[in-house]
Amino acid sequence: MSKTQMLKGVLEGCVLQIVAQHETYGYQLVQELRAVGFTDVIGGTIYPILQKLEKKALIIGRMKPSPEGPSRKYFSITPDGKVELTAFLQDWQEINNSVKRIFKLGGKE
């Protein structure tokens, strides 16, 4: 399995977490993801995620003027998005713990 395939499963949750922390726009979101280690993430990956989350009413986008040029679409999380984020975190913790257990067991045999 490639790194890209694994990322697809977690990026939505990561995007929701960042948007929950502060209102942001697509390019800024890409830069934040890269800064924490998602160096392969590009706008072509993030913008469809933002559209999907907005369509599901988990985030809301608003056009705002930009000091550096054309208006930007800023995203913020909705109440449903907060619920989804909580569920993602619970699921992620369960999966992460299971993977850790498997690798710990595998190293002892």
Side-chain angles (χ1 to χ4, degrees):
M1 176 181 289
S2 74
K3 184 177 175 181
T4 303
Q5 287 174 312
M6 285 194 275
L7 277 177
K8 285 182 183 179
V10 298
L11 276 178
E12 281 187 31
C14 293
V15 167
L16 276 176
Q17 175 62 18
I18 292 171
V19 173
Q21 292 171 358
H22 60 86
E23 191 175 58
T24 188
Y25 57 94
Y27 181 75
Q28 182 181 31
L29 186 57
V30 169
Q31 296 308 309
E32 289 185 50
L33 288 165
R34 286 182 178 172
V36 297
F38 291 106
T39 55
D40 296 335
V41 170
I42 59 172
T45 304
I46 296 305
Y47 290 109
I49 290 172
L50 289 169
Q51 289 174 337
K52 180 179 177 182
L53 294 174
E54 189 174 26
K55 187 175 181 180
K56 292 169 71 176
L58 302 178
I59 61 174
I60 188 164
R62 292 185 184 94
M63 295 302 290
K64 291 188 173 186
S66 168
E68 293 122 22
S71 295
R72 293 180 177 147
K73 192 170 192 179
Y74 283 81
F75 296 93
S76 56
I77 196 162
T78 65
D80 285 345
K82 290 178 182 178
V83 170
E84 183 73 17
L85 180 57
T86 299
F88 169 82
L89 185 56
Q90 290 172 343
D91 291 344
W92 171 253
Q93 288 172 338
E94 288 175 19
I95 291 167
N96 190 33
N97 289 336
S98 296
V99 170
K100 284 180 182 178
R101 282 193 298 274
I102 288 170
F103 279 88
K104 284 181 184 176
L105 291 174
K108 292 181 180 181
E109 295 181 308

